[in-house]
Amino acid sequence: MVDTPSPNEPTLEEQIAAYQREFKDLDPQVEQVVSALGRLHRRMNVAYGRQTATLGISNAEWEVLKGLVLSGAPYRMGPGELAKSLCLTPAAMTHRIDRMVAEGLVTRDRDETNRVRVIIELTDAGREKWLEAMRLATVFEEELLQDLSSEERGALGEMLTRLLRRVEES
């Protein structure tokens, strides 16, 4: 497998060789899989960041939009449950919501049934921004997987899901 590293980053092969030199018990197949997944994740985040930037939002804001969409119509959540779903602190969530309210992507209102509770709701502009980001992401993801057959995509998806379950269960 040939890897094109970013500047000052060793190739996967160089990294694995260095690890093997320093840690004799290393399984190079395991390290190749784990390191490739890590690099792929980082590089995909950079690519998504470029796409969301063209839409005038950050990856962080994209995550909030996604969280609200995943909650289902009417796309409303309390800031605490939204923060929990995104694995954020309440302070980090407040900062994101402040920016997004100012940008017109979400609203922040008191819950009519419980005036102490705040509700974050996706606006039409926020939903349109999410749809635009999804359109861009779909093109990117199709290009990413273009060299894999339908069967390979299915097998890869199943294998990665098994790995994800193992991590989530531990």
Side-chain angles (χ1 to χ4, degrees):
M1 170 178 216
V2 177
D3 175 36
T4 306
S6 56
N8 303 318
E9 182 180 34
T11 64
L12 279 177
E13 294 79 9
E14 291 167 339
Q15 178 181 325
I16 292 166
Y19 285 178
Q20 285 181 300
R21 180 183 69 237
E22 301 297 325
F23 183 68
K24 303 294 183 209
D25 294 335
L26 182 83
D27 181 333
Q29 287 180 319
V30 170
E31 189 59 35
Q32 181 183 23
V33 169
V34 171
S35 294
L37 285 172
R39 287 185 187 201
L40 180 61
H41 173 74
R42 286 191 310 275
R43 290 184 177 130
M44 287 178 69
N45 277 341
V46 168
Y48 288 134
R50 285 187 197 118
Q51 290 180 340
T52 57
T54 67
L55 301 174
I57 61 173
S58 67
N59 273 357
E61 292 168 324
W62 156 249
E63 290 295 325
V64 173
L65 296 175
K66 183 171 65 172
L68 288 168
V69 168
L70 289 174
S71 74
Y75 314 115
R76 302 175 63 183
M77 295 178 83
E81 65 185 319
L82 187 54
K84 187 175 180 179
S85 74
L86 298 175
C87 300
L88 294 173
T89 65
M93 186 84 271
T94 298
H95 182 67
R96 286 185 190 184
I97 291 169
D98 288 346
R99 283 193 327 256
M100 295 177 74
V101 166
E103 295 167 1
L105 301 173
V106 299
T107 59
R108 176 182 13 216
D109 293 307
R110 294 271 174 220
D111 185 341
E112 293 301 320
T113 61
N114 178 353
R115 300 294 295 163
V116 175
R117 185 169 183 229
V118 172
I119 297 292
I120 308 305
E121 185 170 353
L122 187 65
T123 64
D124 290 342
R127 179 154 169 74
E128 186 52 42
K129 198 66 76 166
W130 177 80
L131 287 169
E132 289 175 45
M134 285 299 293
R135 288 181 196 106
L136 292 173
T138 299
V139 170
F140 167 71
E141 293 159 358
E142 283 293 329
E143 289 174 0
L144 177 68
L145 298 174
Q146 69 183 342
D147 296 331
L148 301 180
S149 69
S150 178
E151 294 78 21
E152 290 170 322
R153 289 178 185 195
L156 179 60
E158 289 174 18
M159 288 184 280
L160 291 174
T161 300
R162 284 198 327 250
L163 294 176
L164 179 60
R165 280 193 197 116
R166 175 157 321 261
V167 169
E168 290 176 343
E169 290 169 359
S170 65

